[in-house]
Amino acid sequence: MSVDARIYRIKKTLGGIKNIIGVVSGKGGVGKTTISAVMSLILSVKGYSVGLLDLDFHGPSCHTILGIKDLEYEEEKGINPYRITKNLYFASIYPFVKDEYVPLRGKALSNALIEFLSILNWRKIDYLIVDMPPGMGDILLDIVRLIPNSKFIAVTTNSVLSIQTVGRLIKFIIDSRLELQGIIANMIRNYDTRARRLAEELSVNFLGSVPFDADYENTIGNPQSILGTKLASALKEIVERHIT
Amino acid sequence: MSVDARIYRIKKTLGGIKNIIGVVSGKGGVGKTTISAVMSLILSVKGYSVGLLDLDFHGPSCHTILGIKDLEYEEEKGINPYRITKNLYFASIYPFVKDEYVPLRGKALSNALIEFLSILNWRKIDYLIVDMPPGMGDILLDIVRLIPNSKFIAVTTNSVLSIQTVGRLIKFIIDSRLELQGIIANMIRNYDTRARRLAEELSVNFLGSVPFDADYENTIGNPQSILGTKLASALKEIVERHIT
Amino acid sequence: MVNAMHEWALAESIIMAVIDLAKRENAKEVVEIELLIGGLQTIDLEIFEFALNELKKETIAKNAKIRFVKQKPKFKCNVCGYEWIVDDLNKVLSEEEIESIHFIPELSHVFMKCPKCGSNDFDIVEGRGVLLKGVRIVK
Amino acid sequence: MVNAMHEWALAESIIMAVIDLAKRENAKEVVEIELLIGGLQTIDLEIFEFALNELKKETIAKNAKIRFVKQKPKFKCNVCGYEWIVDDLNKVLSEEEIESIHFIPELSHVFMKCPKCGSNDFDIVEGRGVLLKGVRIVK
Ligand SMILES: Nc1ncnc2c1ncn2[C@@H]1O[C@H](COP(=O)(O)OP(=O)(O)O)[C@@H](O)[C@H]1O
Ligand SMILES: Nc1ncnc2c1ncn2[C@@H]1O[C@H](COP(=O)(O)OP(=O)(O)O)[C@@H](O)[C@H]1O
Ligand SMILES: [Mg+2]
Ligand SMILES: [Mg+2]
Ligand SMILES: [Mg+2]
Ligand SMILES: [Mg+2]
Ligand code: NI
Ligand code: NI
Ligand SMILES: [Zn+2]
Ligand SMILES: [Zn+2]
């Protein structure tokens, strides 16, 4: 029998969420995780109910940014995402694997993703922010396949190496007839010209730039301090203008 | 029949190479590709015969750093890596896919890797530098499985997010009883303390630091200029002290 | 708490799938549901069965007989080709590790290694977890 | 140039594997080699056969009969479940795309889409390329 029963419960539990936003890039190290985590904080502080889902199974790190050490899930006919504040929920494989390495081939990655999604209980939240791994492998293809109503935000730096890889990914999103909210240029020092040009060439929204913020690193693990950084201010403007 | 015939030719064609070095990190965007490409240039300028193999099938970009646009492979009972200079050879899936997106699940990625490795003709070169994708998926597991004599260099930045992911990967390399040459700290602005501490904690060599070099971006695509950057000088020292 | 256990989520997936399949086949009734129970996931079969029975009440599957086919976890190493079966997970894993694998069976790659060559790079050949194997309906 | 074509690399893999298998079985001779020829890779069968015959000379497989079993490329979409066979790659791909796929069949994911839903996320079910299917030996 080739029916995967788990997919039914995935559709149900994700069905009550108003906006599912995948933060993608294809390229690693451009700030997907940072932007996912900080955007979730910003949205939750604004009063929206928000979920943050870390899908980088090979290197989960949202919990580090949020400064969560001892998270445990509560079972309730499934598992409840960890409640960070009254309106911010979080799910990651981190509590299961801690600091062990997670060597998973694609097939196993896909199976782990489907299993995880199928046992999570999401409330009827306003936003689910999905921190995606780099690459165009099983996780991306499964998210596209299983959650066809998800929207995407593409993150890039202004480096040619990033631009070309993000360009490939955006073409994939467009060809797959998925909704791309737009491009965020991250870690901008002086110019964001390449990122803006990419947006223009591909006729997608340029959502704005987030500066490289040397002070940010020291706030990692401390949400209150993170919200005071220049990084967070820039992201707040983008969120207000384009996401809410 | 569960014998994969291709593996025989892979062992043969890689068998004549003196040093196979995988540049890894688990984390994306830390400079694996940059270090792979620039290290290959440095070694080849020193007179060694060098191969550079780009295994980031989802986002190949070594060719961009090297400024190669129209590479085509020559067939010779297999395919010959592209000869950039008299002693620098290059292989990438780029000529096959150009700027198209490459959405491959793990199983396909693995199959593509094995096929590619099995038809390439490597000379008896001194170094094969393998630019690895981020993550701990099929490509890493297959390289470990198919080329058990490969050595590894782990690249990290000094950010906690990178440190923890690279830490996982290094533990995997050690547990797998593979040879880790050491850690390179990249894009260092002021301190490389976290990277040094990681090396100490895991009892592995700290190979050195490469500064964040704001001038580097403008040299991408021009090997001659790249070799004049501060990035290349720092890497040259590391190569001279630890690799050759 | 029995009523909170995550086995309910597994049961819910199964019942939703069964109902949808039955509807798509224009079934009058589901008479049998066959489930593979892979030992790697170490589910609490009693609770799982209880949940299935609760969830199928007042559905097209309310009278369905549920058949479990148990399967021991079997692995095959991608590096050395060795195949092995684990009879008792408690002998090779800590309680905490078994718990992680209970939620996501693929995390066995994190906590287990090939007994012959020590690699984490193996396939779970069978006995992974809960799987809908067959549904018998009448039209 | 016939003598340079990459089909030689495919043939070399096969012959090396056959010889190793035969040795490990302490064979006196290899009498038959059965090969699956998947249509997706569009190999030049004449050159491939020529290469196999050249490479098996002076080996334990020198008298082996080579049997080819051709297989049309068959795909299954992971998104919509649609299955399809491609009879003539030239109808759906450019020459350059066929050439890329000739070297690495998985690059079909770059150049092909599910005819029903348009997704690149499909499996190559059969007919991928050259595959060693069986070896018959005498001891
Ligand atoms: N705007 C920024 N300013 C300074 N550092 C940043 C910024 N965005 C991200 N970083 C840092 O860059 C690195 C990569 O970010 P990360 O969010 O992990 O990227 P990804 O998830 O795309 O791999 C991390 O060390 C992170 O702390
Ligand atoms: N030492 C450095 N100084 C300045 N920029 C760097 C340095 N190393 C890498 N970069 C830039 O950082 C980005 C990520 O590097 P890349 O080599 O693509 O990393 P990876 O291969 O690990 O994803 C690229 O834009 C690259 O140009
Ligand atoms: Mg990330
Ligand atoms: Mg790279
Ligand atoms: Mg353990
Ligand atoms: Mg095309
Ligand atoms: Ni449970
Ligand atoms: Ni050919
Ligand atoms: Zn093994
Ligand atoms: Zn389809």
Side-chain angles (χ1 to χ4, degrees), chain A residues 13-108:
Chain A
T13 176
L14 295 179
I17 300 174
K18 287 202 195 116
N19 302 281
I20 300 179
I21 301 178
V23 179
V24 290
S25 70
K27 180 81 185 148
V30 296
K32 291 178 295 301
T33 298
T34 302
I35 285 178
S36 299
V38 181
M39 192 182 278
S40 301
L41 286 174
I42 291 168
L43 284 165
S44 73
V45 165
K46 285 190 163 301
Y48 295 100
S49 53
V50 182
L52 173 62
L53 174 59
D54 186 339
L55 291 189
D56 195 346
F57 290 177
H58 288 143
S61 48
C62 283
H63 61 281
T64 306
I65 297 179
L66 298 175
I68 311 173
K69 271 172 205 95
D70 304 304
L71 73 154
E72 271 190 26
Y73 296 118
E74 187 189 42
E75 283 191 60
E76 189 189 345
K77 299 192 175 185
I79 61 181
N80 289 339
Y82 179 78
R83 196 167 188 166
I84 300 177
T85 65
K86 86 177 188 317
N87 55 340
L88 179 56
Y89 301 90
F90 176 52
S92 160
I93 64 153
Y94 175 71
F96 300 132
V97 301
K98 302 286 164 54
D99 294 317
E100 306 277 345
Y101 50 87
V102 185
L104 296 179
R105 286 182 178 269
K107 191 80 202 69

Side-chain angles (χ1 to χ4, degrees), chain D residues 42-61:
Chain D
T42 56
I43 64 162
D44 188 320
L45 196 56
E46 225 171 288
I47 291 173
F48 182 55
E49 189 170 11
F50 178 74
L52 288 167
N53 283 323
E54 287 297 308
L55 291 166
K56 74 184 171 62
K57 279 182 186 165
E58 280 156 62
T59 78
I60 194 170

Side-chain angles (χ1 to χ4, degrees), chain D residues 3-115:
Chain D
N3 267 321
M5 295 204 35
H6 111 286
E7 276 75 353
W8 279 83
L10 307 179
E12 201 183 356
S13 287
I14 297 292
I15 297 300
M16 282 193 282
V18 167
I19 292 173
D20 184 58
L21 282 168
K23 278 190 186 149
R24 281 196 284 142
E25 297 286 327
N26 291 313
K28 234 174 59 192
E29 201 180 11
V30 178
V31 284
E32 194 179 82
I33 302 169
E34 193 183 3
L35 298 173
L36 224 56
I37 307 294
L40 183 57
Q41 200 168 24
T42 56
I43 64 162
D44 188 320
L45 196 56
E46 225 171 288
I47 291 173
F48 182 55
E49 189 170 11
F50 178 74
L52 288 167
N53 283 323
E54 287 297 308
L55 291 166
K56 74 184 171 62
K57 279 182 186 165
E58 280 156 62
T59 78
I60 194 170
K62 60 175 173 289
N63 296 316
K65 190 177 169 305
I66 298 169
R67 261 201 340 128
F68 298 110
V69 180
K70 292 193 195 176
Q71 219 176 27
K72 284 185 186 167
K74 184 173 162 186
F75 308 90
K76 179 167 184 180
C77 180
N78 287 319
V79 177
C80 76
Y82 186 69
E83 285 191 22
W84 73 102
I85 287 173
V86 177
D87 279 308
D88 184 356
L89 287 176
N90 288 295
K91 286 203 181 126
V92 290
L93 294 166
S94 73
E95 228 174 276
E96 213 185 327
E97 290 164 348
I98 290 174
E99 168 98 349
S100 290
I101 293 169
H102 169 62
F103 289 114
I104 303 178
E106 281 64 38
L107 298 181
S108 50
H109 294 282
V110 178
F111 305 114
M112 290 173 67
K113 286 179 197 314
C114 168

Side-chain angles (χ1 to χ4, degrees), chain A residues 156-170:
Chain A
T156 185
T157 68
N158 200 48
S159 166
V160 283
L161 295 197
S162 173
I163 295 289
Q164 71 185 11
T165 299
V166 176
R168 285 179 209 264
L169 185 100
I170 293 174

